[in-house]
Amino acid sequence: RRFPRMKPLSSDTAVTDHQAGSRVAAGILIAVGLWLWLGVVQTVIGPADPLILAGLPVARDVIGQLLRGLYAIGVATAAVRAFGIASPFEWLGIRRPVGREWGYALLGVVLMLSTLIGWISLLQALGLERTMSGSSLGTAVLYSRIITLLLLVGPAEELLFRGIIQRSLRDYLGSWPSILFAGFVFGFGHIDLSATAPGDILWLVGLSALGVILGWVYERTDNLVVPAIAHGGFNSLTTALPLLLG
């Protein structure tokens, strides 16, 4: 079943437009905040020259994922209070998936994986390279990420981008505008702002497309757990495949 959509706080058009604009701005701030928060986490316990726990890479990575989840919970708590939501679990659509919802979770993983492969192929066909670089991770960290990406990162990011941003804008902007906006800020939250090569810009579009797929899954099911499973499953799968095939 589908939960009824949240009603605007006022029927006055000007006020509604103002509320929509405020929530768009809040969505951008959430993405920027996540980017800054992760930058601080990377500086303190990142894979390259960490300030603490230098000899414990797996512990550092797990703590980093926990801190990502802490940020998501903090933002969600603030949003629920700011919006005056009496039943946040019902408003977000957090419940155990049933029936066809499991099918949408699997479909989400397949669509995201297909999009990723297609985007990588497009970059190669155009001869474009990305300047965004990531530190190489040890095998033990990659194995731990198969679990943490599924149980921590997927749910945390879906709580932010679909649960708070997309859900709070849906009644003001409509389904697809809110899906597209949440998808873009999802992509923005996963890039290095110093990377501006054509390949990086195209990669941003690809990351946003992954966010749009997750937004569509959320729209179709009205159950935040479904895109969280799809997101975490996709992340875990793309982490596990190189280990299995290597």
Side-chain angles (χ1 to χ4, degrees):
R1 68 184 181 91
R2 295 177 64 84
F3 286 115
R5 301 193 188 283
M6 183 180 66
K7 296 181 179 179
L9 300 180
S10 171
S11 60
D12 182 78
T13 302
V15 174
T16 301
D17 290 343
H18 173 72
Q19 291 170 341
S22 298
R23 295 194 179 192
V24 167
I28 295 173
L29 289 175
I30 287 172
V32 172
L34 177 62
W35 184 80
L36 293 174
W37 175 252
L38 294 180
V40 172
V41 172
Q42 284 289 97
T43 300
V44 177
I45 58 174
D49 299 323
L51 298 179
I52 61 173
L53 301 175
L56 300 170
V58 173
R60 291 201 318 272
D61 195 71
V62 171
I63 291 172
Q65 310 306 349
L66 287 171
L67 291 174
R68 186 192 297 256
L70 179 63
Y71 176 86
I73 292 172
V75 170
T77 301
V80 165
R81 291 182 177 180
F83 300 159
I85 299 168
S87 302
F89 277 74
E90 181 177 347
W91 182 74
L92 291 168
I94 297 177
R95 63 184 186 277
R96 182 175 62 85
V98 295
R100 67 185 181 94
E101 293 177 339
W102 287 107
Y104 273 107
L106 178 59
L107 179 61
V109 174
V110 172
L111 290 176
M112 292 175 74
L113 186 60
S114 301
T115 300
L116 177 65
I117 294 172
W119 228 259
I120 292 174
S121 300
L122 178 60
L123 285 170
Q124 292 175 342
L126 296 175
L128 298 177
E129 295 183 355
R130 295 184 291 127
T131 60
M132 290 183 284
S133 60
S135 302
S136 59
L137 300 173
T139 302
V141 173
L142 291 175
Y143 276 115
S144 72
R145 281 197 171 190
I146 294 174
I147 303 300
T148 58
L149 292 175
L150 176 64
L151 300 181
L152 295 175
V153 175
E157 292 193 351
E158 290 311 294
L159 180 60
L160 287 177
F161 295 108
R162 255 56 63 183
I164 299 302
I165 296 175
Q166 180 177 322
R167 180 66 184 87
S168 66
L169 285 171
R170 191 168 63 181
D171 293 306
Y172 297 97
L173 301 182
S175 295
W176 274 107
S178 63
I179 290 173
L180 293 173
F181 177 77
F184 172 76
V185 296
F186 172 81
F188 173 81
H190 287 78
I191 64 168
D192 184 342
L193 296 184
S194 64
T196 56
D200 298 322
I201 303 301
L202 190 59
W203 190 246
L204 168 60
V205 178
L207 290 174
S208 299
L210 298 181
V212 169
I213 292 170
L214 291 167
W216 175 78
V217 170
Y218 184 35
E219 178 67 22
R220 294 293 297 175
T221 61
D222 246 347
N223 184 350
L224 188 62
V225 177
V226 179
I229 292 173
H231 188 166
F234 168 78
N235 285 351
S236 295
L237 180 62
T238 52
T239 301
L241 281 177
L243 292 171
L244 297 174
L245 301 176

